[in-house]
Amino acid sequence: YWDTEKSGPVPSVLGQIQGTPTIKLVRPKRKAKTNKQKDVIDYNRERKASDLETFALDLMPNFVERVNGEEDFEKFQKKAKKYGLPMMLFFSEDRRITNEMKFLSTEFRRRVLVAQIPFTKKENRPVFLKYGVRGQALLVVPPIDSEDGDSNQQSNEVVFDGKLNLHRLQTFFLDHALKSEVKPQ
């Protein structure tokens, strides 16, 4: 919120404001090395709560990695091992990433790696079989040392059991994520 009458001149990052109310979303650039570079996105929809909600949710940060086949899954495992992060594997019925997963991947960034593995991709079938997934939405936390294909893997993995709502998912993430962030190398 920027009040043009009380707050003085508009910061240059916001650009020009013509008329009020003007709604803009300011977020860090995705590939920037520092948090100082920003993207400014103008809101050009109706001034209704549902439209504002859609605008905000569509532009919400997303750190969920999509897995499309065994090769992507191996890259994901290597990344988890490199940074010493636990993995959360979300086997989904849909290719669309849910808002809850977007939020949790942002909230627990650098404390856990989240991957979405959709059923709609035939390339993902070997990953489904590896974790015993049979067509339902499922969240699995494999043991950290399971990347080598251990035969006791299924007995050691943790499976989220319950309704996929934000509060329960957040508690599950808290239980299985690292307590502090891993600093990027």
Side-chain angles (χ1 to χ4, degrees):
Y1 176 75
W2 190 264
D3 187 342
T4 55
E5 294 177 12
K6 294 181 182 175
S7 301
V10 177
S12 60
V13 72
L14 293 179
Q16 186 177 3
I17 294 178
Q18 296 176 339
T20 55
T22 298
I23 300 171
K24 294 181 181 253
L25 178 80
V26 181
R27 67 177 182 183
K29 286 193 176 184
R30 180 91 170 143
K31 299 290 182 183
K33 294 187 189 262
T34 67
N35 208 9
K36 293 180 181 178
Q37 296 176 334
K38 307 287 184 195
D39 279 330
V40 179
I41 301 149
D42 292 328
Y43 177 79
N44 295 322
R45 301 179 188 177
E46 288 188 48
R47 303 299 203 249
K48 293 181 180 176
S50 61
D51 289 337
L52 277 166
E53 178 185 33
T54 302
F55 175 74
L57 291 175
D58 287 349
L59 295 171
M60 185 167 40
N62 176 15
F63 298 101
V64 176
E65 297 191 26
R66 285 200 171 116
V67 172
N68 294 313
E70 283 185 282
E71 194 174 299
D72 281 356
F73 187 66
E74 287 173 14
K75 286 180 189 175
F76 178 77
Q77 286 180 317
K78 286 179 184 175
K79 185 176 180 180
K81 192 171 190 174
K82 176 181 177 183
Y83 293 106
L85 292 168
M87 299 184 297
M88 296 261 184
L89 308 176
F90 181 57
F91 295 93
S92 67
E93 299 163 344
D94 193 356
R95 292 184 56 155
R96 189 181 67 81
I97 296 174
T98 64
N99 295 326
E100 291 84 5
M101 283 298 155
K102 285 183 186 181
F103 167 75
L104 291 167
S105 71
T106 303
E107 191 72 17
F108 290 91
R109 185 174 181 214
R110 296 189 179 119
R111 293 172 50 200
V112 67
L113 270 181
V114 182
Q116 179 172 358
I117 306 167
F119 297 137
T120 56
K121 290 284 194 176
K122 290 180 184 176
E123 299 88 4
N124 290 332
R125 187 162 294 159
V127 182
F128 302 157
L129 296 174
K130 182 177 182 177
Y131 290 98
V133 178
R134 293 198 169 65
Q136 76 280 17
L138 191 64
L139 184 63
V140 176
V141 181
I144 292 176
D145 59 353
S146 72
E147 287 94 16
D148 57 1
D150 183 11
S151 61
N152 293 330
Q153 174 182 325
Q154 283 187 318
S155 62
N156 295 333
E157 66 192 22
V158 180
V159 178
F160 176 81
D161 57 347
K163 187 177 180 192
L164 294 173
N165 69 33
L166 184 59
H167 179 70
R168 288 183 178 159
L169 286 169
Q170 201 164 11
T171 302
F172 187 76
F173 270 68
L174 276 170
D175 291 344
H176 299 288
L178 298 177
K179 301 302 175 209
S180 60
E181 288 185 4
V182 172
K183 301 296 178 197
Q185 299 172 349

